[in-house]
């Protein structure tokens, strides 16, 4: 059976970020208008800008098959792997006015090329390799069962393109924060049954740089061209920290544990009680805002905090279904 | 038209730090002829933090909440983006993993409950858009919000991950160009403000552990709306509301610019357009003064 495939074209206006660190004081945008075909991907447009309009236009590309991760850029603010993203999809999503920019404007070297030094430093910091004592003359093969391989949850498909890293709002604000790609790599090896690292989880468990500072916005899952779902790995690293007994008694950890305590007691959350449990004496810093909230009726008094109906069920389930300890 | 009826999962915030959200939900439901059966047995969804500590426990508790909606034979409607995400994610995982569903049901059986997977889970914003319809809302408007520039703030957990949201809502929308809230503003007669931060994170979930990150995100969001010439912001998420309404001092300090705008709940905006009184909608509960009514 043959299926007819009709190629269509449409006019698209591109606003393209330009900057040469050797020559330009400030970046600027160049406009290009092109007939784009339904067969093209974003990388084809970058090629046409260079080949047909301006030979000095610079960008990274290599495999053209979604494997090397070199060509990630932003289209209308969305991180995109240029060789994988179809122009049709981009026009469907954003219309015919498209802005093409590097993954990070503040790290730009020339046009689409950025200095990914921070990305690689953070990647390196999480021990992105197997840490294992290897018997050089093993008697048997070192087998990994299909179930154990499944536990990696596709984390090893990451191509280090940086799309998630430079889309992450926490990375943009907090320079220490490792970011979703590094966490996906950390998970990849921490979840490997052959790995013996005692350091990796401790490293990603640190405040500031580690998993506790993830803002839970799901941008990383949304932009990942390999559908790795980095935030899913971040959640699993949180859980591993508890399972391995390395979760420290700090505000972030108590914040997670406090939910269970509150649910066990009331079913619903005691919001004030949760903040008190999480912050301890540091809660005093919230007093000015709390007072303003109180005057507006935005704080429930301890005696007015609701309790779920059928608390006996909730208590029983919390007792029988809990799998984590702190 | 058959009266719409949902099982209401209020979440925790609507009963404590955003009482006006509960008030306005009930007022708008009455105007729209929606019957809400409150799930008073429901527990907290874990708010994406319990999940970091104890994934299985959070699955069991969320499955229990949905099981109560199933007992009523109703679609569950949430009024918090994070409740929506955690509940929809639980439903997705259980409906697509028979083994996990059986494990969870083994626990629920201890209290005489069963998760079947028969009830849908949707946010009140999407219930209005999908089941009432924007045309109907437009017809029902008695006080058009035509003099206002209104900045929509979507909140992450209603629009991402889009794969989950698209299977949950009848009217899928893009995580990068969401339209539901913009369309609702227009249906209410207002002018929607387009600004870069409208689909970005407010920082709520790291308020305690990463206060600077949280404050910058809040500040950027309000500043974006202000630069778009917004008179006020509107959000379907009470957690975003709390961050944008109560943390303006920290946000201003973090970004080096005074930022503050009234931040209304989606229900309050619809209620105003449908002719509810400011008192019914709890507009006196905001820290950023709502001075236009």
């Amino acid at each position: 059976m043959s299926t007819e495939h009709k190629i269509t074209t449409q006019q698209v206006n591109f606003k393209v970020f330009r900057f040469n660190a050797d020559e330009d004081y400030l970046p600027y945008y160049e406009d290009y208008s092109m007939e784009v075909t339904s067969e093209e991907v974003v990388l084809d447009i970058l090629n046409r800008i260079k080949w047909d309009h301006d030979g000095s236009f610079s960008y990274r590309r290599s495999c053209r098959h979604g494997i090397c991760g070199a060509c990630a850029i932003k289209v209308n603010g969305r991180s995109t792997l240029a060789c994988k993203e179809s122009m049709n999809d981009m026009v469907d999503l954003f219309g015919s006015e498209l802005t093409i920019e590097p993954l990070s404007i503040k790290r730009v070297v020339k046009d689409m090329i950025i200095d990914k030094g921070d990305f690689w430093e953070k990647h390196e910091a999480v021990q992105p390799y197997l840490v294992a004592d290897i018997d050089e003359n093993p008697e048997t093969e070192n087998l990994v069962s299909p179930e154990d391989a499944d536990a990696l949850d596709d984390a090893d498909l990451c191509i280090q393109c940086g799309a998630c890293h430079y889309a992450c709002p926490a990375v943009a604000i907090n320079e220490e924060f490792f970011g979703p790609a590094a966490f996906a790599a950390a998970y990849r090896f921490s979840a490997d049954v052959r790995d013996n690292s005692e350091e990796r989880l401790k490293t990603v468990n640190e405040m500031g740089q580690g998993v506790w500072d993830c803002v839970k916005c799901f941008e990383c899952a949304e932009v990942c061209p390999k559908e790795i779902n980095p935030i899913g790995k971040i959640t699993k690293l949180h859980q591993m920290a508890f399972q391995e007994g390395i979760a420290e008694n700090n505000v972030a950890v108590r914040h997670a544990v406090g939910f269970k305590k509150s649910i066990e007691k009331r079913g619903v959350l005691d919001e004030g009680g949760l903040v008190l449990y999480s912050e301890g004496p540091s809660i005093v810093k919230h007093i000015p805002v709390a007072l303003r909230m109180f005057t507006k009726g935005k704080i429930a008094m301890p005696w007015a905090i609701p309790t779920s109906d059928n608390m006996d069920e909730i208590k029983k389930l919390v007792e029988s279904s809990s799998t984590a300890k702190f | 038209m058959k009266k719409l009826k949902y099982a209401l999962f209020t979440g925790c915030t609507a009963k404590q730090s955003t009482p006006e959200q509960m008030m306005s939900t009930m007022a708008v439901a009455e105007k729209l002829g929606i019957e809400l059966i409150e799930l008073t047995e429901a527990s907290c969804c874990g708010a994406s933090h319990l999940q970091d500590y104890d994934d299985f426990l959070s699955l069991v508790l969320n499955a229990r909440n949905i099981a109560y909606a199933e007992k009523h034979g109703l679609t569950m409607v949430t009024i918090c983006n994070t409740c929506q995400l955690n509940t929809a994610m639980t439903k997705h995982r259980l409906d697509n993993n028979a083994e996990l569903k059986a494990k969870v049901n083994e626990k629920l059986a201890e209290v005489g409950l069963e998760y079947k997977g028969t009830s849908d889970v949707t946010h009140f914003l999407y219930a209005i858009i999908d089941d009432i319809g924007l045309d109907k809302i437009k017809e029902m408007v008695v006080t058009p919000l035509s003099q206002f520039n209104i900045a929509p703030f979507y909140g992450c957990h209603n629009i991402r991950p889009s794969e989950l949201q698209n299977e949950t809502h009848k009217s899928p929308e893009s995580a990068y160009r969401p339209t539901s809230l913009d369309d609702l503003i227009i249906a209410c007669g207002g002018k929607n403000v387009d600004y870069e931060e409208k689909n970005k994170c407010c920082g709520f979930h790291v308020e305690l552990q990463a206060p600077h990150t949280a404050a910058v995100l809040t500040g950027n969001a309000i500043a974006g709306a202000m630069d778009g010439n917004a008179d006020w912001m509107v959000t379907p998420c009470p957690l975003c509301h709390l961050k944008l309404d109560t943390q303006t001092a920290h946000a201003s300090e973090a970004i080096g610019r005074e930022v503050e705008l009234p931040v209304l709940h989606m229900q309050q905006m619809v209620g105003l357009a449908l002719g509810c009184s400011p008192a019914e909608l709890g507009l006196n509960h905001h820290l950023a003064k709502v001075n236009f009514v």
Side-chain angles (χ1 to χ4, degrees):
Chain A
M1 190 175 76
S2 69
T3 51
E4 195 178 336
H5 181 70
K6 194 175 175 193
I7 298 174
T8 57
T9 63
Q10 58 192 325
Q11 193 72 25
V12 179
N13 298 321
F14 295 95
K15 196 174 139 194
V16 181
F17 180 92
R18 302 299 306 266
F19 180 70
N20 182 347
D22 290 336
E23 295 174 2
D24 299 325
Y25 179 62
L26 288 173
Y28 59 99
Y29 287 83
E30 199 89 65
D31 293 327
Y32 302 99
S33 190
M34 295 179 211
E35 282 279 325
V36 172
T37 80
S38 52
E39 296 284 280
E40 288 183 296
V41 293
V42 174
L43 182 59
D44 292 317
I45 302 307
L46 303 185
N47 288 337
R48 286 169 60 188
I49 292 170
K50 186 172 185 70
W51 297 341
D52 300 343
H53 296 274
D54 183 351
S56 74
F57 180 60
S58 300
Y59 51 100
R60 288 192 177 108
R61 67 189 168 100
S62 183
C63 73
R64 212 191 192 285
H65 290 285
I67 294 297
C68 76
C71 64
I73 57 164
K74 282 189 177 173
V75 177
N76 283 27
R78 183 194 193 280
S79 293
T80 297
L81 193 62
C83 70
K84 195 177 177 205
E85 198 72 61
S86 99
M87 278 306 304
N88 256 8
D89 288 349
M90 287 289 93
V91 172
D92 283 349
L93 186 57
F94 294 118
S96 59
E97 304 288 329
L98 298 180
T99 300
I100 293 181
E101 292 170 315
L103 278 181
S104 168
I105 285 176
K106 71 178 179 184
R107 301 191 65 85
V108 70
V109 176
K110 188 166 189 287
D111 299 335
M112 298 299 117
I113 296 172
I114 62 164
D115 171 6
K116 275 175 79 175
D118 68 320
F119 176 86
W120 294 116
E121 279 166 24
K122 289 167 178 177
H123 187 247
E124 187 184 350
V126 301
Q127 292 186 322
Y129 43 81
L130 205 65
V131 178
D133 294 326
I134 302 294
D135 180 352
E136 290 184 3
N137 300 294
E139 288 181 11
T140 60
E141 286 177 278
N142 200 350
L143 295 175
V144 176
S145 71
E147 292 76 23
D148 287 337
D150 283 347
L152 302 184
D153 200 17
D154 291 340
D156 47 1
L157 299 182
C158 177
I159 55 173
Q160 284 98 36
C161 65
C164 64
H165 184 81
Y166 296 106
C168 173
V171 167
I173 294 164
N174 173 8
E175 288 189 0
E176 287 180 48
F177 187 59
F178 284 145
F183 292 132
Y187 177 76
R188 157 66 186 85
F189 294 101
S190 291
D192 194 311
V193 288
R194 300 164 298 180
D195 185 77
N196 300 321
S197 172
E198 291 179 359
E199 293 306 310
R200 190 184 303 108
L201 260 184
K202 288 179 185 167
T203 306
V204 302
N205 185 45
E206 293 290 322
M207 298 286 280
Q209 65 187 23
V211 287
W212 301 103
D213 287 38
C214 164
V215 297
K216 300 175 183 286
C217 70
F218 284 80
E219 277 277 357
C220 55
E222 202 61 39
V223 300
C224 177
K226 306 302 279 185
E227 296 177 14
I228 287 169
N229 186 17
I231 191 173
K233 313 298 179 281
I234 291 171
T235 302
K236 287 183 173 175
L237 287 170
H238 281 119
Q239 293 160 4
M240 278 179 168
F242 286 109
Q243 285 155 11
E244 300 294 322
I246 61 158
E248 290 172 19
N249 187 2
N250 59 35
V251 62
V253 168
R254 288 193 299 273
H255 191 51
V257 176
F259 275 81
K260 177 183 163 184
K261 291 187 176 300
S262 199
I263 290 169
E264 195 171 22
K265 194 173 169 191
R266 294 185 175 277
V268 297
L269 205 60
D270 168 0
E271 293 178 326
L274 176 69
V275 178
L276 177 60
Y277 177 76
S278 307
E279 296 268 27
S282 300
I283 197 171
V284 292
K285 70 185 176 203
H286 298 299
I287 286 175
V289 173
L291 285 174
R292 290 189 67 207
M293 289 175 71
F294 175 72
T295 60
K296 295 288 184 178
K298 283 180 103 75
I299 285 184
M301 291 292 101
W303 55 86
I305 295 164
T307 301
S308 302
D309 290 349
N310 301 0
M311 270 309 297
D312 53 328
E313 282 179 19
I314 295 172
K315 283 179 193 288
K316 192 169 181 183
L317 288 175
V318 170
E319 193 184 337
S320 75
S321 306
S322 291
T323 58
K325 284 191 172 62
F326 177 69
Chain B
M1 187 173 155
K2 194 182 160 196
K3 190 172 186 182
L4 291 167
K5 193 172 173 183
Y6 301 97
L8 173 66
F9 177 38
T10 66
C12 307
T13 307
K15 292 293 189 76
Q16 294 175 70
S17 49
T18 60
E20 72 282 359
Q21 202 212 14
M22 192 67 195
M23 296 162 71
S24 53
T25 298
M26 301 316 283
V28 166
E30 193 181 329
K31 284 276 181 196
L32 294 176
I34 294 173
E35 187 179 350
L36 295 173
I37 308 295
E38 188 182 334
L39 296 172
T40 51
E41 308 89 349
S43 69
C44 169
C45 70
S48 83
H49 294 281
L50 176 64
Q51 288 77 356
D52 289 341
Y53 174 47
D54 197 327
D55 184 53
F56 184 67
L57 177 60
S58 80
L59 278 174
V60 171
L61 293 172
N62 279 303
R64 176 181 172 275
N65 293 343
I66 303 171
Y68 271 101
E70 290 177 355
K71 272 186 149 188
H72 289 288
L74 296 172
T75 291
M76 178 196 273
V77 69
T78 65
I79 49 175
C80 167
N81 288 23
T82 296
C83 293
Q84 173 63 28
L85 174 71
N86 288 303
T87 312
M89 205 179 268
T90 297
K91 181 172 171 57
H92 174 86
R93 287 174 66 186
L94 299 186
D95 290 351
N96 291 283
N97 186 335
E99 195 183 334
L100 190 60
K101 185 175 164 182
K103 275 185 191 167
V104 165
N105 271 330
E106 199 178 302
K107 294 296 171 190
L108 291 180
E110 293 173 7
V111 294
L113 291 170
E114 184 188 3
Y115 171 84
K116 298 188 182 77
T118 51
S119 282
D120 289 333
V121 176
T122 192
H123 189 285
F124 197 44
L125 168 67
Y126 295 100
I128 288 176
I129 288 174
D130 292 337
D131 299 342
I132 301 277
L134 292 166
D135 290 339
K136 180 76 181 161
I137 296 287
K138 220 177 277 183
E139 278 173 28
M140 293 180 73
V141 167
V142 293
T143 314
L145 307 174
S146 45
Q147 72 270 44
F148 300 119
N149 291 328
I150 305 169
F153 191 78
Y154 282 84
C156 302
H157 294 168
N158 258 13
I159 55 175
R160 287 183 291 266
S162 55
E163 219 169 62
L164 178 72
Q165 308 301 353
N166 288 346
E167 80 178 37
T168 305
H169 306 306
K170 290 177 200 160
S171 319
E173 65 182 349
S174 158
Y176 288 90
R177 289 186 82 185
T179 56
S180 58
L181 207 45
D182 288 84
D183 292 343
L184 192 58
I185 291 168
I186 293 165
C188 290
K191 185 174 181 301
N192 62 318
V193 172
D194 193 22
Y195 65 115
E196 192 184 327
E197 292 80 9
K198 73 178 182 180
N199 61 345
K200 304 291 185 206
C201 175
C202 72
F204 180 88
H205 290 282
V206 291
E207 171 74 31
L208 301 186
Q209 58 266 48
H212 178 70
T213 299
V216 172
L217 290 170
T218 301
N220 288 345
I222 306 173
M226 289 170 76
D227 291 344
N229 203 24
D231 297 305
W232 38 281
M233 300 173 82
V234 65
T235 180
C237 179
L239 308 184
C240 295
H241 162 86
L242 275 175
K243 200 77 185 66
L244 300 168
D245 182 51
T246 70
Q247 298 298 318
T248 49
H250 295 145
S252 299
E253 195 183 330
I255 68 165
R257 173 182 168 186
E258 285 297 318
V259 285
E260 185 169 286
L261 275 178
V263 185
L264 270 63
H265 299 281
M266 175 274 291
Q267 295 91 324
Q268 290 178 314
M269 177 186 74
V270 175
L272 280 175
L274 298 184
C276 298
S277 72
E280 272 180 289
L281 300 171
L283 286 166
N284 56 325
H285 286 287
H286 296 240
L287 265 62
K289 197 168 165 41
V290 181
N291 52 9
F292 52 82
V293 288

